Every structure is written in structure tokens, then in C-alpha cells.
Amino acid sequence: MTELLKIEGLTKAYPGVVANDGVGFSVRPGEVHALLGENGAGKSTLVKMIYGLVKPDSGTMHFAGQSFAPADPRAARAAGVAMVFQHFSLFEALNVAENVALGMENPPPMRQLAKRIREISTAYGLPLDPARLVGDLSAGERQRVEIVRCLLQDPKLLIMDEPTSVLTPQEVEILFHTLRKLSAEGTAILYISHKLEEIRTLCEGATILRAGKVVASCNPREKTARELAELMVGAELKVTDRAERKLGDVVLKVSGLSLAPLSQFGPSLKDLSLELRAGEVLGIGGVAGNGQEELLATLSGERPSAPGTVSLMGEDISGLGPNGRRAKGLLAAPEERLGHAAVPAMSLTENAILTGTMRKPLTRNGFVDQGAAKTFADEIIQAFDVRTPGSHVAARALSGGNLQKYVIGREVLQNPAVLVVNQPTWGVDAAAAASIRQALLDLAAKGAAVIAISQDLDELMEISDRFSALNEGRLSASRPTQGLTIEEIGMMLGGAHGMQEAAV
Amino acid sequence: MITLVRRPTPSQFWSYATPLLAVIATMIAGGILFAILGKHPVEAIRVIFWDPLFGGNASYFRGQLLVKAGPLILIACGLAVGFRAGIWNIGAEGQYIMGALFSAWLALKMYPAESHWLFPAMIVLGALGGFLWAMIPAVLKVLFGTSEILVSLMLVYVAENLLAYMAFGPLKNPEGFGFPGSRNLQDYPSAFNHELIEGTGMHWGVVAALIAVIFSYGLMHRHITGFRIRVAGEAPRAARFAGVIPARLVMLGLGMGGAFAGLAGMFEVSGPSGQITDSFNVGYGFTAIIVAFLGRLHPIGILLAGLLMALTYIGGDMAQLMLGLPSAAIQVFQGMLLFFLLAFDVLTNFRIRFGRVAA
Ligand SMILES: Nc1ncnc2c1ncn2[C@@H]1O[C@H](COP(=O)(O)OP(=O)(O)OP(=O)(O)O)[C@@H](O)[C@H]1O
Ligand SMILES: [Mg+2]
């Protein structure tokens, strides 16, 4: 037996799209295998079928030499398949051990479980204190909880769907260390990511999907990231071009902004100040959970702040709500797509109305103009290459990256004077990410000011003129991006959480 | 094995079909219930659903249909606004009583002066009474985060006691020979909400209900305010991002429900009931909750559901009278309607798969 997982002719259709079309590939024991593809190529659908969450319409799977058709995730787990989802499914108010126990069929007594968690987590270089509250953990540590939960089942195949999009570079290092160790012990890993450099360092095999079909398989180490991206897209990749920009007057000024935490476990913002000029892109780096969400909420107007703290073109707007700010040209795109930037159950047209009424003529005397709204939605779909059957589709039916394109497009097409985006290319494929970045640069070139909050430092280096770090609710003074070295950025970021103990 | 598969987009077809399915299932289950009680099931169903419309005394009952459906539709339209936003006003019955008390108080104060202004003023006062009563849970929720479900429900009992006190005390008819209850407004032309077309049961309250249907359709499905209300019910965080202020939403959701319920109380006390008595309220405020959901929280649906519910009321009365069915059985029957509706609702959001799909 050389193959652990062998898939042949797997097909799954959704109304209007064939998400997987006769997909076949195989994974050897101990192999770290990448699944690559554009947004909506069908990667998540494919692994959900392996994990028993989605039933294939046709096709066969073999696992460890036996025919494999898991009816539900429990059956898949019993066979030795474990999966770490992109979105954490953890309870913040429970501690680590309790969270792990919740995911098990027959959890052992707490004391024993805590001991096992400690053993496994140190053995794999992912130190975790079983008694800590999950709410107090960083994103990287939360992911460790999910991974440890999987490892306790002693899986033969570990599936990871975009695991690194929320991690800092240091945390990614630690994760890779763990994955290599697992692979050396014979555990196969199926790895989905849009970060091609990561894939080149980690994976030894790759299957590339395009529009639900396997279009290539290769050894990613023998290809450049660019070649991989071009295989995915089936066309040549455009490089973002950064037009010469002229900086204008200060349009947004934040001074002495402090804010209590949004939630019990969130950070507070402490005495934040920044200045933004027309035509400028300010990159704000740092690990998610250090005030990024809070910063976006105060700038968007969801959480108004003390008088005199935020001013737009010289006018104090601290007390204005989101629509008041939109009317004046300050727009925002939050990080969480489903339930914050978009309403999952509503159509794309309705989601266009969500933020579009202040700057686009989508209403007449307060009444919604359905035709205009649909036109605007179609315009976004067209301009940002959102892959979907149409504007009548509910937001939740879009693949993650496509919804992200839609959300960013909706704000960009409203011609903002200032646009604040949080994780603009989170979960977006290389080509689409490049086009989103290009759209932000074009916006700045037209004279708008942009704040890009992101964990992806390469991204920030690529698009921003100045760089600041947000750490534990404090914003560092900004520095011009040109000539900034990785070490200097590291200093500004002030180190990741739990790094020392984790450097096993 | 049966599995539920979530639909990516809620099914349009099933969102219309489930109410019909629920009605049919209720008829079947109700028939079985009546059979167990020793009645002929088909006959019982006929008496409830058919006779009031097409039976021997149908001309009288058809009028009753509008009289009963009017307040149900009016109240349900108001409640649906709050329900869409995820604000659970369970106390429409109390708001209905307060609307009646406020408007009757004005009329009895003015008696016997005749004026064209009295009736419109009573309408305003009725709406105000219900609105103010609903503001109690609203303000408490905004200020202290109390549950509007509990507070609004408890206030029903407070309102009922107030009603009894008024009926026996301050508003008692001075010429009533000691009987409890106020003067009958039907004998006071300026205050009387008379039938608009003889024998149809059509009175100003029914007109108001129809206006409410049109108004709430415009508000909820055409106006941006209704859109934001629906967003708030679906995804509260997205609603805040869209500029919804939660406190205002609570005020609006409860306020609309209260004002509409108060109006219903006003039209009832000045028309079909005529009097403030301690048994003035008969549960319209609670039944309207069923009507709202049966109508999918959609104004047109509520219109149809209100008529249907009114029919089961009248038919139920007839079945009690003619077949001797216990009133509890009729209530179970009405309850089943909501029960089946909620059960079939699964179909709107989920697809049912039988058996295992061969891989
Ligand atoms: N539940 C669903 N209902 C309808 N269509 C769906 C559903 N899930 C996925 N799809 C569609 O199937 C296609 C593949 O989606 P999938 O989530 O597998 O893409 P992906 O490769 O994981 O993309 P991304 O990189 O953006 O996460 C997309 O066109 C998507 O719109
Ligand atoms: Mg995906």
C-alpha cells in the first residue's frame, strides 16, 4: 500500500456551479500535500467531502486501502481523518481542556485530559496551558487548541483549510515545525493555502484545481510562486503597479483616541494618534486581536469616540455614526465577512444596499430602488470579478474569497475619500489578492486616502507608503515603508505572544 | 437515515408552500383529535372551515369574519415589525387593553357632547395608550437590558387588573344600576365605530387593518427603514455597520406593535364590544402572535392568516355549539396550526435527504 488517500472522479454540484468535477488525486502516508486553486475553485468543497461534511454526487474515495464514504464527520474521524477549519469553533468562556473535551466523543476525566494535552502539546512544540481561558489566547494559540484537539485522535490524515491566514510569521514557523514533525511520523497532511511561498517551503506535492477540475499536479518546490499562481489562474499574472502618487492635505486625523474593549476578552485602544493625507496608503501591521477590530469600529463609526478624537477634512466627526461618516466620504470594510460586512442570508443585491445608500442613488425618498441596487451589485460583481451565478445569490453561498472581493468592491466603487480596510485579502487567492491591492492603489492614485490593516507584512510593504504597528491597543509612530527592514518591523511589532516558550 | 442539508438560499417555493401544508396537516391532525373525542372528523372540519363561509347562516358569520380578523391583522402587522428585528413583544394583549382604556376614557369624559373631533381624537388616544404601554418594556430594555419578553408579558396582567378596576370603578356606568362596566359607546353617536356597510362587519377598524397591511408592506419591503429592521434581525453586527442604532430599533419595534395593538383596542371598544368590562379582552393580542408567524411576518401573509384564524374562531364556536366540542379542543386545534407551521418551516431552509447517498 503506497497511498493513504486515493480519490477518483469525485463530483459535487451546487445549483448553478459544479464545485468539483471529476476530481482525482492521491496522498501518500507522511506526505504534505497542497491543494491550490483560485477562490471558488472547489478546495473547501473537496476537503469537506473527505471529512464527511458534504456528500459527493459521484466518485469514489479510498482511505488506507479501504473504500471510504464517511456519512458524517464522526465517521471520518473514526477512520483517522482530522480537520482544522479556518474559522475556530471554540468557546471563549471555557478553558482549553474544556474546549478540547467538547470536541471528543468520549472525553476522559478532566485531570487526565489536561495531562494528555500538556504532553501532546509540548511533544509537538505547541505549548498550551490546559487551564487557560480560550478568550485570553491569541489567534495562534487558539489554533493550537484546534490542532491539539485533532492530534489527540491520532489521525492518519490531517486536513488544514487556510490555517495560516490568521497567524504571525513567527507563529507560522512554529506551525510548520509541528507539521514537519507530524509528517516525519507518518501523518499525511492536506494543506490549503493561498500563500504560495509557504506552500513551496512546506509541501512536497500539490494538486491544482481550476473551476472544480484538476488542472495540474506538481512538486511545488520545483516551481516558483509565480508559476504556481499562473497554473491556478491559467493565465499570466499581473504585478501590481504603483503609480506615482502626489500626497495632498491631511484628510483624516486621529488624536488621543482611547476606547474600552468591545468584548470581555478584547483589548482596549490606548491613546491612538495618526494622520493620513490624501493619496496616501497607511499600512497598520500587527497580530489580529490587538485592537484591529476596535480600530476599525471606531473609524467606521460603529463605536463613536470622545469628541475631538477623530476628524475628517478638519471637521470633528467623532460623534457620527456609520452613515453620517459614509455621507462625508469615510468608508470601511470590516474583516469578518459573514455577519458583519455582509448579511449571510441576504442576496448580493440586498448586501449592496447595506452600505451603499449614502453615496449611491439606491433610494428615492427613503424607498429602495431595487433596479438601481441590482445594477450596483452587478457592477461590483463585474468590476471585481466575483464568481457567482448572479446578484440574487445569498452571500453565504459565495466562496470566502469571492465574498471578500464583493465586500471590498462595494466600498471601493463608492469613491471614498478615506477607506479603512481590515485584512483586505484574507482568504483571497493570489490573483484576486493582487487585483484587490491594485484597486486600493488605484483608489489612492485618484486621491483617496487608504488605511490597510493587515497581518500580511508583504502585503503592507507592497501597497503602503507608511507603516505603523498596532500591538496591545497601542499604535506605534509611523515610518516610511521605503527602506524599512524586517528587523525594524519586528521591533515595531514588539514580538509575538508566547514566542519564547514556543521556541522549542 | 434522514439528513437535513442546509440550503444555500432559502427556498422561495417552500416559504409560500409551508403555510398551506401546515393548514392541511392541522386539518388532518385535528380530524384525528376530534375522532378520538368521538366526533365525526370530516363533519367537524366542515363545521369549522366551511359552514361559516358557505353554510346556512353564512351571511351572519361572514360579517363576523371581518370583525374578528380586523384586530388580529392590525395587531399582527405591528408585531411583525418587531419580530423581524428580533424584538419579542409578547404583550400586545396588554397594549390592546390600554388603547381601549385611553380612548374609552376620553369618550366617557366627553359624554354626551357630540363632536366630529371625538372619534379621530379617540383614535389618537388609542394608539398613544398602546404605544406608552409598550414603551415600558422598551425603555427598561434600553436602559437596563431587561428582557422585553418577560416585561411585556407581565404588563398584560397589570393591564388586565387595571381594566377590571376601571370597569368596576372610575369608568363604571353611573346609570348602570350597579352592574359592572362602562356606558355603552354604541349609544353615543360621536364615539360609535359603526358598521360602514350594513351586514358586512366592515367597520373603521377593518379599514385600519387594511391600511396597516399596505403601510407595513411599504415600510418593511420597500423602505430603507424596513430593510434595516430586517438586517437587524438577521445579523445584528451587520446592522450596526449599516448604521442601525439598537436603542432606536427597540423603541420602533415595540412602539409600532404597541400603537397598532392600542388602535385595535380602540376600534373594538368603540364598536363591536362597545363597553369597558372586565372581560373586554378575549386574547386577540396573543392570537395575533400566531397570525404574525403564520403569515411569515409578511403583510399579505398576515392578511390571509388573520382571515384564516378568524375563521377557526368562528368555526370553533360553531363546533362547540353544534357538535358539543370542548373549547379546549378548539384551542389545541388552533395551537396545532402554529406548531405545524414551525415544523414545516425546516423545509424553507433545509433540504431533506432520505437514505445515504452512495459515494
Ligand atoms: N453550500 C453551497 N451552496 C452553493 N454553492 C456553494 C456552496 N458551497 C460552495 N459553493 C460554490 O462552490 C464553488 C466552490 O466553493 P469552495 O468553497 O469549495 O471554493 P474554495 O476553493 O474553497 O474557495 P476559497 O479559496 O475562496 O475559499 C464556489 O463557486 C461556491 O460558490
Ligand atoms: Mg475555501
Side-chain angles (χ1 to χ4, degrees), chain B residues 19 96 130 191 239 253 257 283 289 335:
Chain B
Y96 169 84
I289 299 172

Side-chain angles (χ1 to χ4, degrees), chain A residues 69-118:
Chain A
D72 52 24
R74 202 184 311 168
R77 282 199 294 267
V81 180
M83 180 157 166
V84 176
F85 292 90
Q86 180 175 7
H87 295 267
F88 302 142
S89 44
L90 298 173
F91 294 93
E92 299 205 327
L94 298 182
N95 72 26
V96 170
E98 287 162 340
N99 265 290
V100 170
L102 276 177
M104 299 174 80
E105 259 99 69
N106 304 304
M110 255 327 149
R111 188 111 56 73
Q112 221 173 313
L113 183 64
K115 191 159 152 270
R116 287 276 293 144
I117 292 175
R118 234 182 240 114

Side-chain angles (χ1 to χ4, degrees), chain A residues 15-37:
Chain A
V17 271
V18 183
N20 277 182
D21 189 354
V23 171
F25 72 99
S26 55
V27 181
R28 282 172 287 112
E31 179 184 350
V32 185
H33 193 98
L35 274 182
L36 296 178

Side-chain angles (χ1 to χ4, degrees), chain A residues 237-243 245 281 283 425 430-441 452 454 456-467 481-482 489:
Chain A
L237 201 62
K238 274 191 301 209
V239 215
T240 49
D241 98 84
R242 188 163 165 171
R245 294 198 290 268
V281 180
T425 60
S435 72
I436 287 181
R437 288 182 201 130
Q438 186 64 55
L440 295 177
L441 287 172
S454 176
D456 186 340
L457 294 177
D458 295 332
E459 169 167 287
L460 293 181
M461 291 304 114
E462 185 182 330
I463 61 172
S464 51
D465 305 295
R466 283 186 298 128
F467 177 84
T481 335
Q482 270 203 333
I489 294 174

Side-chain angles (χ1 to χ4, degrees), chain A residues 126-292:
Chain A
L126 303 168
L128 263 184
D129 178 355
R132 290 259 314 270
L133 277 189
V134 165
D136 295 333
L137 302 182
S138 73
E141 289 170 313
R142 288 180 199 207
Q143 188 179 55
R144 286 183 205 167
V145 180
E146 298 266 15
I147 296 174
V148 166
R149 189 195 281 185
C150 288
L151 296 186
L152 282 170
Q153 306 162 26
D154 209 2
K156 297 196 194 76
L157 174 69
L158 178 62
I159 301 172
M160 307 194 88
D161 195 350
E162 301 192 32
T164 57
S165 39
V166 292
L167 303 188
T168 60
Q170 291 87 342
E171 285 172 330
V172 171
E173 274 302 308
I174 299 169
L175 174 68
F176 282 12
H177 187 81
T178 308
L179 295 182
R180 290 207 181 93
K181 183 157 183 185
L182 277 170
S183 136
E185 289 171 3
T187 307
I189 292 159
L190 197 51
Y191 190 87
I192 299 180
S193 172
H194 290 296
K195 299 188 179 168
L196 302 172
E197 285 302 339
E198 285 181 0
I199 289 196
R200 292 189 58 246
T201 58
L202 183 71
C203 306
E204 35 205 298
T207 298
I208 299 171
L209 295 176
R210 193 191 311 149
K213 290 200 181 81
V214 175
V215 289
S217 47
C218 64
N219 181 345
R221 290 181 185 156
E222 293 162 359
K223 305 263 180 211
T224 64
R226 199 190 163 110
E227 281 168 340
L228 288 175
E230 286 173 355
L231 277 175
M232 283 162 44
V233 186
E236 242 174 73
L237 201 62
K238 274 191 301 209
V239 215
T240 49
D241 98 84
R242 188 163 165 171
E244 203 46 51
R245 294 198 290 268
K246 276 201 293 294
L247 295 195
D249 297 333
V250 171
V251 282
L252 183 74
K253 190 167 153 65
V254 175
S255 46
L257 176 79
S258 297
L259 203 77
L262 276 177
S263 69
Q264 193 187 346
F265 301 108
S268 51
L269 294 182
K270 299 173 192 103
D271 197 20
L272 240 74
S273 297
L274 62 85
E275 266 188 14
L276 192 66
R277 291 174 180 279
E280 184 180 37
V281 180
L282 171 67
I284 296 184
V287 186
N290 272 289
Q292 279 77 358

Side-chain angles (χ1 to χ4, degrees), chain A residues 14 17 19 38-45 162 194 397-402 427, chain B residues 8:
Chain A
Y14 287 114
V17 271
E38 293 179 273
N39 294 125
K43 306 175 297 292
S44 296
T45 307
E162 301 192 32
H194 290 296
L398 263 64
S399 84
N402 275 305

